[in-house]
Structure formats: structure tokens, C-alpha cells
Amino acid sequence: MKLRSIPLIARIVLAGIVLSAFGGFIVPAGHAASEVMVVAHGSVPVESLSRDAVQEIFLGRKTRWSDGQKITLATLKEGEEHEAFLRMYVGKTPHQFKNYWKSQVFTGRGKAPEAFTSPDELAEFVTNTPGAIGYLPQRAYQNQLKSFMIE
Amino acid sequence: MKSAVKIMFLSALFAMCCFSGNARAYEYQGVDIRGFISQGYLQSTDNNFFAETEDGTSQFNEAGINFSAEVSDRLRLGVQFLSRDLGTIGNNEVILDWAIADYHFRDWLGLTVGNMKFVHGLYNETRDLDMVRTFILMPQSVYIEAWREAISSIQGAGLYGDLGLSDMGSLSYDLQYGTVNLDSDKGAARLLGDQWPFEGMGLLVDVDQINVDYTYAGSIRWITNLEGLILGGSTWGYQFEADATTLLDTTNPMAAAMLQNNPGFVDLVGPLNAYGARFMLSPSEFGVETVSYTASMEFMWRNLVFAAEYMRTTYNIEFRNSPLFTTLEPVLSANGVAVQDGTIEVDQFSSVGYYASLAYRFAPWFELGTYYSVYYPNEDDKDGKERVAKGLDDQDHRGWLKDIALTTRFDVNENWIVKLEAHKMDGSAILLGADNPAPEDPAEDRYEEDWYLFAAKMTFHF
């Protein structure tokens, strides 16, 4: 069978590329950078963290605090704070972060972090879960939870 | 029994899809349950790509469901069942994809026992997971479809860990040792059958059984302190034996001549087999040792992902069939094949493959990707002339495959993904003889050098 005998599939592919690429350019890709702070349960025996340490924690490469306590991750599902945190501290986009954890889960390498719809839910989880770490909008939650200096 | 397992598997998956709502893992008493179903369509202009793609085929799907639980702070148990189909490979039989007990001593040392995903390159562990990558078909230079089952998972034990390197980033490692179940109807067996060099003489083989002596795999990844850059190296090795039915095709003029001119050969010929003018000969054995090395790099910058990998695999193959080879020694010697103690050793050879890929996410719902992939089954015969001279193939373009791919990925919502992909192919390496039988008319070409392959795939996951 020759190529010209199946033009429909080729047309669909090309149309998809052109339309979607055009669509992609007109959807605003950027978001205003939000100020986020890294927060943790009061039992966490750390006062400051490096950016690399935050990245290792949220990618599941560092799983315990210095006292042996298990690290439990808390993340937001979406939103500006979520995007800003991942960009600033994890070096991934929300899509890349989600894919990373899907890969871990579907290959038996790890358990996906807890994901919350609202910052309030995340704050409550971190407050009540020993060893938990998460991130929240700085303005709204300052002084409510233990927060870190990021070096 | 197999169909009962298939029905149970699909029922469980369907139920989970219904109950899991939008994209969330289903959790029951501390056990996380996740799954996916992909259905694809393949169409090629020429050549059958692991299925009857020339006519268009929807025998191209994958489905998986996994259960995992943290039994304690350090111990995790998990299992994934997988069903897949690609032409005659898989046929939607439900297999145990992975089943592990994982004890995490420290971040730098963990122990996994059971059936683990096989480490190779950057993406081998996730090659069944359509939803985590841009492309439908992985670059065939490094992720050859025929080898897929052979390097999908490994039964044994593995060590893994992450080591901090301070200002240098961090290092992840994996070491695995064990064995693999290789079925005679899967791609690796067919690829092995294609290595048999005597088809032109009317001597045919059908691989019946593969016994793997050992398998190992190792991988190291350096997560550099340059944001988004990962460099990696991996290796794997195999030793296995295969038993093969050996047949004489008397319609082949050379086979007919051998029967006439070699006293004693007639005595070796057994009964007519079910294929027609093919007679049973004494069974052959294959001995195979293979070692592979892969160098990898991935660079992520915002919505852009660039990856490049290079793989080199060395093969040592010998064929054993003492009665047959001893009797035919004069004929084989005249064709430049040395027989020693009923064994023929193929000169060591290495395949090489490399690719570079680029993917960009333009919007949360749309991603565009492309790659260029090159594969040579024998690095010393990149123009394929030698394999034609040796009678391994009639066409020199069996000596390479160069693939330019273009993919669009649409994330319809958090659960559904649709992908469309086009490949411009130059060469016919990796295509299996079993999928592309010799045409009845000898004047017709068995394989086409320039061809196109189109793929469409839809995936649901939760």
C-alpha cells in the first residue's frame, strides 16, 4: 500500500499539529510567581533546608529526617502556589512532577505524595501528621505552622 | 484457565475505572490501586511492524492494574498485572508484570526481591506506561520492540539507593540479578530465529523453548547540579539456551541438491511436518551470550525535554546440531561456515543504536515531540552488504533502520490521553521474518526500504 492511499491519517496528524500548536501559543503559559513557604509538622527536627534538600525530599530521594522519622509529603493538586513551588524548589513543571510520580508508582518504586485541593486541607494534614512537609502561600499562613529557611 | 484470568483481570480493571472517579488512585484499607488501559492502531505503507500493520491493525493495546501497600515505615509490597497485545505478541494474556517486596534500609541502600522492572536506559521501566511519555513507540534504536519481554522485568533481587554528592548533585544506582521467563512465541524468540543463517539453504528453525541461565542489569544516574540535567549509564547481560525444531524445506533448490549429493543426509530426514513440504530434522540448540551498554542524557528546561541515548549490544551465538552439521560439513565448509564438534560459532558481532528526542509542552493539554533514531544490527556492516554476501538476507537495507518520528499528544483531561504519531522509516532492520514472510513470487521484494508507519493511541489511567 502506498502513502497516498491513506491520506486521512496523515491529514489528521498534520491538522492536529497545526491547530494544537497554534492553540498552544495563544494559551497564556506563564503565571504570576506566588510566594510560597515550605512548612512542616512541629516534630520535624530541622530549622533550615537547602534547595537541593527540598528537591530530594519532594522527588522521594530523601525519605527520613535526621532523627529517623519518616518524611510524609503533602502537595497541592494545582494552582499558582503549586506551580511556583515546583518551579522554584523542584525544578519541574506540574506535568513533569505528576509524570515523575506516576512513573514511580507504576513501576513499584514509591507511593505518590498526598495531594490536596486547598491549602487549608494541606495545612491541617501537615499540622496533624508527624514528619509531614508541604508548602503554602506565605501571606495567608505565616506563623501558623513551622516553616523553614531555604538556604 | 487463561481466559478466566483474563476476564477477572479486565473485570477488576473495569470496576476500578468506574469507581475511581477522576484520576485518583483507588484506596482500600491502606492498599493503593491504580491502573491504565491503552488502545492503539497501527498502519504502515509497507512492511509489517511486529503485527499486520500493512493492512492496519488494532491489535495494539496494553492494560495494567497494580496494588501496593506500605506494610511498615520501611517495608513496601506491590504487584502489577499486565496484559498487552502487538500482533501475535502478548495476545492479551495476563502476566505478572512486577511483584516486589521492598525494604528501604537507608536512602542510600534499599533491597528489592521478587519480579522487578528491568533497569535499562532512561525509560525502559516505564515503557508500558503510555501516559508518562510523549511518544507512542519508543525509539527502536535503544528500546527494540522485539527485546521488550526479554528486558521488561527480572526475577531475583536488587539493590538500589540515592547518594548525595554535595555540590555535585546526587547519584542514583540500581543493581539487579536473576532470571527472566522468555516465551517461545514472543519477540526475543523470533529475533533469535532470524539469527539462524541457513534459511537460504532450506534449513529452517522454529524456536520452541528458551532457558535463561542468568540475567543481570545495572544502572547509575547522576542528577547533576545543573538544573534539569541527568546523565546515566546502564548495562545488562544475558546467557540463555534455546531448543529449536529444525526443518528441511525440500522446495528450496539448495536443500534438494544437498539431499542428492550428501550420502547420509537422507537418513537424518524425519517425517513430513504439518507445514507441508518440510521435513523434521534433528533438533538444534542455540547458545547465546549478550552484553549491552547504554549511555543516556536527559535535559529538562521548563516545558522542554531533550533526551539522547546510545546503546551497544554484543552477541556471542552458537548453533549446535551434531548429526546435521557433521553430515553437512562439506557443504557448510564450501559456504565458508566452520563446523567444530557439531557446533557452529557465529563471529561475535555488536549492534549499535542511538537517538535524540525533543518534546515541548505548548499547553497543559498539548505536547509535540520528535525524535531521530538510528539502529544497525551489526556495527561492522552498516551498509548491509556483508549480510547479503553471507546469505543472511537478500536485501542490504536489513542492515539499518533510520526513523524520523513526529508525535502529538493531547491530554483531554486528567484521565484521558490521545496521541497521534507518524514515522518516516529508512531501512528494514529489526523487522521480523515471522511477520514478513517471503513472497511466493521470488521476483518480489520481501521488505521495502522506504516506508511510513502511523500510530494512534488512546489511554485511560487512574
Side-chain angles (χ1 to χ4, degrees), chain A residues 1 3 6 12 17 20-21 24-25 51 61-64 70 77 91 93 95-96 99 102 105-109 111, chain B residues 24 32 34 43 45 66 70 73-74 76 98 100 104 107 125 129 132 174 227 302-303 361-362 366 406 408 410 461:
Chain A
M1 186 168 64
L3 177 62
I6 49 163
I12 292 170
I17 292 166
S20 303
F25 283 123
R51 184 190 171 280
R61 295 187 191 125
K62 179 176 168 58
T63 60
R64 294 194 176 269
K70 191 186 170 201
K77 279 190 175 151
T93 64
H95 173 75
Q96 290 162 353
N99 266 1
K102 278 179 197 165
V105 169
F106 278 97
T107 55
R109 284 192 176 264
K111 179 180 164 64
Chain B
R24 288 173 199 151
D32 285 336
R34 288 174 178 257
Q43 173 91 53
T45 54
N66 74 56
E70 290 190 334
D73 265 9
R74 294 186 189 275
R76 196 161 39 80
W98 53 263
I100 52 141
H104 197 83
D107 286 332
E125 290 169 274
L129 309 176
V132 301
D174 280 280
E227 187 73 52
R302 299 187 180 174
N303 289 305
R361 183 157 280 261
F362 287 89
F366 175 67
L406 188 63
T408 53
F410 305 89
H461 70 285

Short mmCIF file of all heavy atoms in Angstrom, two decimals, chain A residues 1 3 6 12 17 20-21 24-25 51 61-64 70 77 91 93 95-96 99 102 105-109 111, chain B residues 24 32 34 43 45 66 70 73-74 76 98 100 104 107 125 129 132 174 227 302-303 361-362 366 406 408 410 461:
data_model
loop_
_atom_site.label_atom_id
_atom_site.label_comp_id
_atom_site.label_asym_id
_atom_site.label_seq_id
_atom_site.Cartn_x
_atom_site.Cartn_y
_atom_site.Cartn_z
N MET A 1 0.84 -1.19 0.00
CA MET A 1 0.00 0.00 0.00
C MET A 1 0.88 1.25 0.00
O MET A 1 1.89 1.29 0.69
CB MET A 1 -0.87 -0.01 1.26
CG MET A 1 -1.85 1.11 1.24
SD MET A 1 -3.09 0.93 2.51
CE MET A 1 -2.09 1.07 3.91
N LEU A 3 1.65 5.49 0.30
CA LEU A 3 1.30 6.55 1.25
C LEU A 3 0.04 7.32 0.82
O LEU A 3 -0.81 7.64 1.63
CB LEU A 3 2.48 7.51 1.39
CG LEU A 3 2.27 8.73 2.28
CD1 LEU A 3 1.99 8.28 3.70
CD2 LEU A 3 3.48 9.62 2.26
N ILE A 6 -3.55 6.41 2.01
CA ILE A 6 -4.09 6.62 3.36
C ILE A 6 -3.90 8.07 3.79
O ILE A 6 -3.28 8.37 4.79
CB ILE A 6 -3.44 5.69 4.39
CG1 ILE A 6 -1.91 5.72 4.26
CG2 ILE A 6 -3.97 4.28 4.31
CD1 ILE A 6 -1.22 5.15 5.46
N ILE A 12 -5.00 13.94 9.56
CA ILE A 12 -5.37 14.13 10.97
C ILE A 12 -4.16 14.54 11.78
O ILE A 12 -4.19 15.46 12.59
CB ILE A 12 -6.00 12.83 11.54
CG1 ILE A 12 -7.36 12.58 10.89
CG2 ILE A 12 -6.15 12.92 13.05
CD1 ILE A 12 -7.95 11.22 11.21
N ILE A 17 -1.29 18.81 14.61
CA ILE A 17 -0.06 19.56 14.91
C ILE A 17 -0.31 21.06 14.74
O ILE A 17 -0.02 21.86 15.62
CB ILE A 17 1.08 19.12 13.97
CG1 ILE A 17 1.48 17.67 14.30
CG2 ILE A 17 2.29 20.03 14.10
CD1 ILE A 17 2.36 17.04 13.24
N SER A 20 -3.19 22.49 17.16
CA SER A 20 -2.84 22.47 18.57
C SER A 20 -1.66 23.36 18.87
O SER A 20 -1.60 24.00 19.91
CB SER A 20 -2.54 21.04 19.00
OG SER A 20 -3.66 20.25 18.71
N ALA A 21 -0.70 23.39 17.93
CA ALA A 21 0.44 24.27 18.16
C ALA A 21 -0.03 25.71 18.22
O ALA A 21 0.37 26.48 19.08
CB ALA A 21 1.47 24.10 17.04
N GLY A 24 -1.75 26.23 21.37
CA GLY A 24 -0.81 26.28 22.48
C GLY A 24 -0.21 27.65 22.65
O GLY A 24 0.00 28.13 23.75
N PHE A 25 0.06 28.32 21.52
CA PHE A 25 0.69 29.62 21.62
C PHE A 25 -0.26 30.69 22.16
O PHE A 25 0.18 31.63 22.80
CB PHE A 25 1.21 30.07 20.25
CG PHE A 25 2.48 29.37 19.87
CD1 PHE A 25 2.56 28.64 18.69
CD2 PHE A 25 3.58 29.43 20.70
CE1 PHE A 25 3.74 27.99 18.36
CE2 PHE A 25 4.77 28.78 20.37
CZ PHE A 25 4.84 28.06 19.19
N ARG A 51 17.92 24.20 49.07
CA ARG A 51 17.01 23.99 47.95
C ARG A 51 17.16 22.57 47.41
O ARG A 51 16.18 21.91 47.06
CB ARG A 51 17.30 25.01 46.86
CG ARG A 51 16.34 24.93 45.70
CD ARG A 51 16.81 25.79 44.54
NE ARG A 51 16.01 25.53 43.37
CZ ARG A 51 16.18 24.49 42.57
NH1 ARG A 51 17.11 23.60 42.83
NH2 ARG A 51 15.40 24.32 41.52
N ARG A 61 13.78 11.06 47.05
CA ARG A 61 15.15 10.55 47.17
C ARG A 61 15.66 10.65 48.60
O ARG A 61 16.62 9.98 48.96
CB ARG A 61 16.10 11.30 46.22
CG ARG A 61 15.77 11.07 44.77
CD ARG A 61 16.83 11.70 43.88
NE ARG A 61 16.36 11.68 42.50
CZ ARG A 61 16.27 12.76 41.72
NH1 ARG A 61 16.62 13.93 42.18
NH2 ARG A 61 15.84 12.65 40.49
N LYS A 62 15.05 11.53 49.36
CA LYS A 62 15.38 11.62 50.79
C LYS A 62 14.08 11.33 51.53
O LYS A 62 13.09 12.04 51.35
CB LYS A 62 15.90 13.03 51.12
CG LYS A 62 16.25 13.26 52.58
CD LYS A 62 16.84 14.65 52.75
CE LYS A 62 16.96 15.06 54.20
NZ LYS A 62 17.76 14.18 55.04
N THR A 63 14.07 10.27 52.31
CA THR A 63 12.80 9.79 52.88
C THR A 63 12.74 9.87 54.40
O THR A 63 11.72 9.52 54.99
CB THR A 63 12.53 8.33 52.46
OG1 THR A 63 13.60 7.52 52.95
CG2 THR A 63 12.43 8.21 50.95
N ARG A 64 13.84 10.27 55.04
CA ARG A 64 13.84 10.33 56.51
C ARG A 64 14.50 11.61 57.00
O ARG A 64 15.46 12.10 56.39
CB ARG A 64 14.60 9.13 57.10
CG ARG A 64 13.87 7.87 56.79
CD ARG A 64 14.31 6.66 57.56
NE ARG A 64 13.41 5.60 57.16
CZ ARG A 64 12.27 5.31 57.77
NH1 ARG A 64 11.91 5.97 58.86
NH2 ARG A 64 11.49 4.35 57.33
N LYS A 70 10.07 9.23 59.54
CA LYS A 70 9.74 9.14 58.12
C LYS A 70 9.18 10.47 57.58
O LYS A 70 8.36 11.10 58.25
CB LYS A 70 8.71 8.04 57.91
CG LYS A 70 8.50 7.70 56.47
CD LYS A 70 7.38 6.72 56.31
CE LYS A 70 7.05 6.62 54.83
NZ LYS A 70 5.72 6.11 54.60
N LYS A 77 -2.83 20.07 44.59
CA LYS A 77 -3.13 19.44 43.30
C LYS A 77 -2.83 20.37 42.13
O LYS A 77 -2.40 19.93 41.08
CB LYS A 77 -4.60 19.03 43.25
CG LYS A 77 -4.81 17.72 43.95
CD LYS A 77 -6.17 17.20 43.71
CE LYS A 77 -6.26 15.82 44.35
NZ LYS A 77 -7.59 15.50 44.77
N GLY A 91 12.27 22.12 40.38
CA GLY A 91 12.80 22.21 39.02
C GLY A 91 11.97 21.45 38.00
O GLY A 91 12.49 20.95 37.00
N THR A 93 7.86 21.18 36.01
CA THR A 93 6.52 21.74 35.81
C THR A 93 5.53 20.79 36.50
O THR A 93 5.87 19.64 36.81
CB THR A 93 6.18 21.81 34.31
OG1 THR A 93 6.13 20.47 33.81
CG2 THR A 93 7.21 22.61 33.54
N HIS A 95 3.15 19.15 35.24
CA HIS A 95 3.01 17.94 34.40
C HIS A 95 4.19 17.00 34.61
O HIS A 95 4.03 15.78 34.75
CB HIS A 95 2.91 18.36 32.94
CG HIS A 95 2.92 17.22 31.99
ND1 HIS A 95 1.84 16.40 31.81
CD2 HIS A 95 3.90 16.73 31.18
CE1 HIS A 95 2.15 15.46 30.94
NE2 HIS A 95 3.38 15.64 30.54
N GLN A 96 5.39 17.56 34.63
CA GLN A 96 6.59 16.72 34.83
C GLN A 96 6.60 16.09 36.21
O GLN A 96 6.99 14.93 36.37
CB GLN A 96 7.85 17.57 34.62
CG GLN A 96 8.08 17.97 33.17
CD GLN A 96 9.05 19.14 33.03
OE1 GLN A 96 9.46 19.75 34.03
NE2 GLN A 96 9.40 19.47 31.80
N ASN A 99 4.07 13.27 36.22
CA ASN A 99 4.62 12.14 35.47
C ASN A 99 5.69 11.40 36.25
O ASN A 99 5.79 10.18 36.20
CB ASN A 99 5.21 12.62 34.14
CG ASN A 99 4.22 12.52 33.02
OD1 ASN A 99 3.07 12.11 33.22
ND2 ASN A 99 4.63 12.90 31.83
N LYS A 102 3.95 9.29 38.78
CA LYS A 102 3.26 8.17 38.13
C LYS A 102 4.27 7.08 37.78
O LYS A 102 4.01 5.89 37.95
CB LYS A 102 2.56 8.64 36.84
CG LYS A 102 1.22 9.28 37.08
CD LYS A 102 0.64 9.73 35.75
CE LYS A 102 -0.47 10.73 35.96
NZ LYS A 102 -0.83 11.44 34.73
N VAL A 105 5.17 5.19 40.91
CA VAL A 105 4.08 4.34 41.41
C VAL A 105 3.87 3.13 40.50
O VAL A 105 3.76 2.00 40.97
CB VAL A 105 2.77 5.16 41.51
CG1 VAL A 105 1.58 4.25 41.76
CG2 VAL A 105 2.90 6.20 42.61
N PHE A 106 3.85 3.36 39.20
CA PHE A 106 3.52 2.27 38.27
C PHE A 106 4.70 1.32 38.03
O PHE A 106 4.55 0.34 37.31
CB PHE A 106 3.01 2.82 36.94
CG PHE A 106 1.55 3.19 36.98
CD1 PHE A 106 1.16 4.50 37.20
CD2 PHE A 106 0.57 2.22 36.82
CE1 PHE A 106 -0.18 4.84 37.25
CE2 PHE A 106 -0.77 2.56 36.87
CZ PHE A 106 -1.16 3.87 37.08
N THR A 107 5.87 1.63 38.56
CA THR A 107 6.99 0.69 38.45
C THR A 107 7.36 0.11 39.81
O THR A 107 8.37 -0.56 39.95
CB THR A 107 8.23 1.37 37.84
OG1 THR A 107 8.56 2.52 38.63
CG2 THR A 107 7.99 1.80 36.42
N GLY A 108 6.53 0.37 40.81
CA GLY A 108 6.74 -0.21 42.12
C GLY A 108 7.81 0.48 42.94
O GLY A 108 8.33 -0.08 43.90
N ARG A 109 8.17 1.70 42.56
CA ARG A 109 9.28 2.36 43.25
C ARG A 109 8.86 3.30 44.37
O ARG A 109 9.71 3.77 45.12
CB ARG A 109 10.12 3.14 42.24
CG ARG A 109 11.01 2.24 41.42
CD ARG A 109 12.01 3.03 40.65
NE ARG A 109 12.93 2.16 39.94
CZ ARG A 109 14.12 1.81 40.41
NH1 ARG A 109 14.55 2.25 41.57
NH2 ARG A 109 14.90 1.03 39.71
N LYS A 111 5.39 5.52 46.66
CA LYS A 111 3.99 5.88 46.88
C LYS A 111 3.86 7.37 46.57
O LYS A 111 4.67 8.18 47.03
CB LYS A 111 3.64 5.59 48.34
CG LYS A 111 2.22 5.95 48.74
CD LYS A 111 2.06 5.60 50.23
CE LYS A 111 0.82 6.26 50.82
NZ LYS A 111 -0.44 5.83 50.25
N ARG B 24 -8.01 9.59 40.35
CA ARG B 24 -7.42 9.29 41.64
C ARG B 24 -7.19 7.80 41.80
O ARG B 24 -7.95 6.99 41.30
CB ARG B 24 -8.36 9.75 42.75
CG ARG B 24 -8.38 11.25 42.86
CD ARG B 24 -9.42 11.71 43.83
NE ARG B 24 -9.72 13.09 43.58
CZ ARG B 24 -10.88 13.65 43.83
NH1 ARG B 24 -11.87 12.94 44.32
NH2 ARG B 24 -11.08 14.92 43.59
N ASP B 32 -3.20 0.91 47.87
CA ASP B 32 -3.42 1.80 46.71
C ASP B 32 -3.63 0.96 45.47
O ASP B 32 -2.87 0.03 45.21
CB ASP B 32 -2.19 2.69 46.49
CG ASP B 32 -2.11 3.79 47.52
OD1 ASP B 32 -3.17 4.15 48.07
OD2 ASP B 32 -1.00 4.28 47.77
N ARG B 34 -4.11 1.26 41.32
CA ARG B 34 -4.03 2.13 40.15
C ARG B 34 -4.04 1.28 38.88
O ARG B 34 -3.70 0.09 38.92
CB ARG B 34 -2.74 2.96 40.17
CG ARG B 34 -2.77 4.05 41.21
CD ARG B 34 -1.45 4.76 41.30
NE ARG B 34 -1.51 5.82 42.27
CZ ARG B 34 -1.62 7.12 41.96
NH1 ARG B 34 -1.71 7.51 40.71
NH2 ARG B 34 -1.65 8.03 42.90
N GLN B 43 -0.69 1.49 11.33
CA GLN B 43 -0.86 1.35 9.87
C GLN B 43 0.48 1.66 9.22
O GLN B 43 1.08 2.70 9.50
CB GLN B 43 -1.92 2.33 9.38
CG GLN B 43 -2.07 2.38 7.87
CD GLN B 43 -3.10 1.41 7.34
OE1 GLN B 43 -4.23 1.42 7.80
NE2 GLN B 43 -2.71 0.57 6.40
N THR B 45 2.75 1.77 5.42
CA THR B 45 2.59 1.76 3.96
C THR B 45 3.16 0.48 3.38
O THR B 45 2.63 -0.06 2.41
CB THR B 45 3.31 2.97 3.34
OG1 THR B 45 4.67 2.96 3.78
CG2 THR B 45 2.65 4.26 3.73
N ASN B 66 -2.34 -2.21 39.32
CA ASN B 66 -1.39 -2.52 40.40
C ASN B 66 -1.93 -2.22 41.78
O ASN B 66 -2.81 -1.36 41.96
CB ASN B 66 -0.03 -1.86 40.15
CG ASN B 66 0.00 -0.39 40.39
OD1 ASN B 66 -0.33 0.07 41.48
ND2 ASN B 66 0.40 0.37 39.37
N GLU B 70 2.09 0.03 52.05
CA GLU B 70 3.24 0.17 52.93
C GLU B 70 2.93 -0.61 54.19
O GLU B 70 2.06 -0.23 55.00
CB GLU B 70 3.50 1.64 53.23
CG GLU B 70 4.02 2.36 52.00
CD GLU B 70 4.52 3.75 52.27
OE1 GLU B 70 4.06 4.37 53.25
OE2 GLU B 70 5.36 4.24 51.50
N ASP B 73 7.08 1.32 58.03
CA ASP B 73 7.81 2.50 57.57
C ASP B 73 8.84 2.18 56.50
O ASP B 73 9.15 3.00 55.65
CB ASP B 73 8.55 3.13 58.76
CG ASP B 73 7.71 4.24 59.38
OD1 ASP B 73 6.55 4.35 58.98
OD2 ASP B 73 8.24 4.96 60.24
N ARG B 74 9.39 0.96 56.58
CA ARG B 74 10.48 0.62 55.67
C ARG B 74 10.13 -0.45 54.65
O ARG B 74 10.88 -0.68 53.72
CB ARG B 74 11.70 0.15 56.49
CG ARG B 74 12.29 1.24 57.35
CD ARG B 74 13.56 0.78 58.03
NE ARG B 74 14.01 1.76 59.01
CZ ARG B 74 14.77 2.81 58.72
NH1 ARG B 74 15.15 3.03 57.48
NH2 ARG B 74 15.14 3.64 59.68
N ARG B 76 7.63 -2.16 51.85
CA ARG B 76 6.54 -1.92 50.92
C ARG B 76 6.34 -3.15 50.04
O ARG B 76 7.30 -3.78 49.59
CB ARG B 76 6.87 -0.71 50.03
CG ARG B 76 5.70 -0.12 49.29
CD ARG B 76 6.04 1.31 48.86
NE ARG B 76 7.42 1.40 48.42
CZ ARG B 76 7.82 1.02 47.20
NH1 ARG B 76 6.95 0.56 46.34
NH2 ARG B 76 9.08 1.14 46.86
N TRP B 98 5.16 -6.99 37.58
CA TRP B 98 6.10 -6.93 38.69
C TRP B 98 5.40 -7.29 39.99
O TRP B 98 4.19 -7.10 40.13
CB TRP B 98 6.81 -5.57 38.79
CG TRP B 98 5.96 -4.34 38.83
CD1 TRP B 98 5.64 -3.54 37.77
CD2 TRP B 98 5.33 -3.74 39.98
NE1 TRP B 98 4.86 -2.49 38.19
CE2 TRP B 98 4.66 -2.59 39.54
CE3 TRP B 98 5.28 -4.07 41.33
CZ2 TRP B 98 3.92 -1.76 40.40
CZ3 TRP B 98 4.55 -3.25 42.19
CH2 TRP B 98 3.89 -2.11 41.73
N ILE B 100 6.82 -7.19 44.06
CA ILE B 100 8.04 -6.93 44.83
C ILE B 100 7.77 -6.77 46.33
O ILE B 100 6.70 -6.37 46.76
CB ILE B 100 8.75 -5.65 44.34
CG1 ILE B 100 7.75 -4.46 44.31
CG2 ILE B 100 9.38 -5.83 42.99
CD1 ILE B 100 8.33 -3.17 44.74
N HIS B 104 13.48 -0.64 52.60
CA HIS B 104 14.25 0.59 52.43
C HIS B 104 15.07 0.82 53.71
O HIS B 104 14.61 1.45 54.64
CB HIS B 104 13.27 1.73 52.21
CG HIS B 104 13.87 2.96 51.64
ND1 HIS B 104 14.10 3.12 50.29
CD2 HIS B 104 14.30 4.11 52.23
CE1 HIS B 104 14.64 4.31 50.08
NE2 HIS B 104 14.77 4.92 51.24
N ASP B 107 18.35 5.78 52.73
CA ASP B 107 18.17 6.35 51.40
C ASP B 107 19.24 5.87 50.43
O ASP B 107 19.00 5.78 49.23
CB ASP B 107 18.18 7.89 51.47
CG ASP B 107 16.90 8.42 52.08
OD1 ASP B 107 15.87 7.74 51.95
OD2 ASP B 107 16.94 9.48 52.73
N GLU B 125 11.93 1.11 32.25
CA GLU B 125 10.99 0.72 33.32
C GLU B 125 9.57 1.25 33.05
O GLU B 125 8.61 0.68 33.52
CB GLU B 125 11.48 1.25 34.66
CG GLU B 125 12.72 0.55 35.18
CD GLU B 125 13.29 1.30 36.36
OE1 GLU B 125 14.08 2.24 36.13
OE2 GLU B 125 12.94 0.97 37.49
N LEU B 129 4.02 2.28 30.11
CA LEU B 129 3.17 3.36 30.63
C LEU B 129 3.05 4.47 29.60
O LEU B 129 3.84 5.42 29.58
CB LEU B 129 3.75 3.90 31.94
CG LEU B 129 4.08 2.85 32.99
CD1 LEU B 129 4.73 3.51 34.20
CD2 LEU B 129 2.81 2.11 33.42
N VAL B 132 3.02 8.37 30.67
CA VAL B 132 4.11 9.18 31.22
C VAL B 132 5.11 9.64 30.16
O VAL B 132 6.13 10.22 30.48
CB VAL B 132 4.87 8.43 32.36
CG1 VAL B 132 3.94 8.08 33.49
CG2 VAL B 132 5.60 7.21 31.84
N ASP B 174 21.13 1.28 40.69
CA ASP B 174 20.34 0.05 40.75
C ASP B 174 21.21 -1.10 40.31
O ASP B 174 21.91 -1.01 39.29
CB ASP B 174 19.16 0.12 39.78
CG ASP B 174 18.01 0.92 40.33
OD1 ASP B 174 17.25 0.38 41.13
OD2 ASP B 174 17.90 2.10 39.93
N GLU B 227 20.58 22.46 36.73
CA GLU B 227 19.13 22.22 36.81
C GLU B 227 18.59 21.46 35.60
O GLU B 227 18.75 21.90 34.45
CB GLU B 227 18.42 23.57 36.91
CG GLU B 227 16.94 23.47 37.17
CD GLU B 227 16.65 23.05 38.60
OE1 GLU B 227 17.17 23.67 39.53
OE2 GLU B 227 15.89 22.09 38.75
N ARG B 302 12.14 23.97 31.74
CA ARG B 302 10.74 24.38 31.69
C ARG B 302 9.91 23.32 30.98
O ARG B 302 9.91 22.18 31.38
CB ARG B 302 10.59 25.76 31.08
CG ARG B 302 11.34 26.80 31.92
CD ARG B 302 11.11 28.19 31.47
NE ARG B 302 11.85 29.11 32.33
CZ ARG B 302 11.95 30.39 32.13
NH1 ARG B 302 11.35 30.94 31.09
NH2 ARG B 302 12.62 31.16 32.95
N ASN B 303 9.26 23.66 29.89
CA ASN B 303 8.39 22.68 29.22
C ASN B 303 9.09 21.88 28.13
O ASN B 303 8.44 21.14 27.39
CB ASN B 303 7.18 23.41 28.60
CG ASN B 303 6.23 23.89 29.67
OD1 ASN B 303 5.78 23.12 30.49
ND2 ASN B 303 5.97 25.19 29.69
N ARG B 361 5.95 20.95 25.66
CA ARG B 361 4.54 21.07 26.06
C ARG B 361 4.10 22.51 25.84
O ARG B 361 4.51 23.41 26.57
CB ARG B 361 4.39 20.64 27.53
CG ARG B 361 2.97 20.65 28.03
CD ARG B 361 2.80 19.73 29.21
NE ARG B 361 2.68 18.34 28.77
CZ ARG B 361 1.53 17.69 28.65
NH1 ARG B 361 0.39 18.28 28.94
NH2 ARG B 361 1.51 16.45 28.25
N PHE B 362 3.29 22.72 24.82
CA PHE B 362 2.84 24.07 24.48
C PHE B 362 1.74 24.55 25.42
O PHE B 362 1.59 25.74 25.67
CB PHE B 362 2.31 24.09 23.04
CG PHE B 362 3.40 23.98 22.02
CD1 PHE B 362 3.83 22.74 21.57
CD2 PHE B 362 4.00 25.12 21.50
CE1 PHE B 362 4.84 22.64 20.62
CE2 PHE B 362 5.02 25.02 20.56
CZ PHE B 362 5.43 23.78 20.12
N PHE B 366 -1.58 20.02 25.42
CA PHE B 366 -0.95 19.67 24.16
C PHE B 366 0.57 19.63 24.22
O PHE B 366 1.21 20.53 24.74
CB PHE B 366 -1.36 20.66 23.06
CG PHE B 366 -0.65 20.41 21.76
CD1 PHE B 366 -0.90 19.25 21.04
CD2 PHE B 366 0.28 21.31 21.29
CE1 PHE B 366 -0.22 19.01 19.85
CE2 PHE B 366 0.96 21.08 20.10
CZ PHE B 366 0.69 19.92 19.38
N LEU B 406 7.34 11.93 14.51
CA LEU B 406 6.68 13.17 14.92
C LEU B 406 5.40 12.79 15.66
O LEU B 406 4.60 12.00 15.15
CB LEU B 406 6.36 14.01 13.68
CG LEU B 406 5.82 15.42 13.93
CD1 LEU B 406 6.85 16.27 14.66
CD2 LEU B 406 5.48 16.09 12.60
N THR B 408 2.06 13.97 18.31
CA THR B 408 1.24 14.95 19.03
C THR B 408 0.56 14.22 20.17
O THR B 408 0.07 13.10 20.01
CB THR B 408 0.16 15.55 18.13
OG1 THR B 408 -0.58 14.49 17.54
CG2 THR B 408 0.76 16.39 17.04
N PHE B 410 -2.35 14.79 23.18
CA PHE B 410 -3.43 15.63 23.68
C PHE B 410 -3.90 15.08 25.03
O PHE B 410 -4.37 13.94 25.10
CB PHE B 410 -4.62 15.62 22.70
CG PHE B 410 -4.26 16.02 21.31
CD1 PHE B 410 -3.83 15.07 20.38
CD2 PHE B 410 -4.32 17.35 20.92
CE1 PHE B 410 -3.48 15.44 19.09
CE2 PHE B 410 -3.97 17.72 19.62
CZ PHE B 410 -3.55 16.77 18.71
N HIS B 461 -6.16 6.29 32.39
CA HIS B 461 -5.44 5.82 33.58
C HIS B 461 -6.01 6.48 34.82
O HIS B 461 -6.65 7.53 34.76
CB HIS B 461 -3.95 6.09 33.44
CG HIS B 461 -3.60 7.55 33.53
ND1 HIS B 461 -3.84 8.42 32.49
CD2 HIS B 461 -3.05 8.28 34.52
CE1 HIS B 461 -3.43 9.62 32.84
NE2 HIS B 461 -2.96 9.57 34.06
#
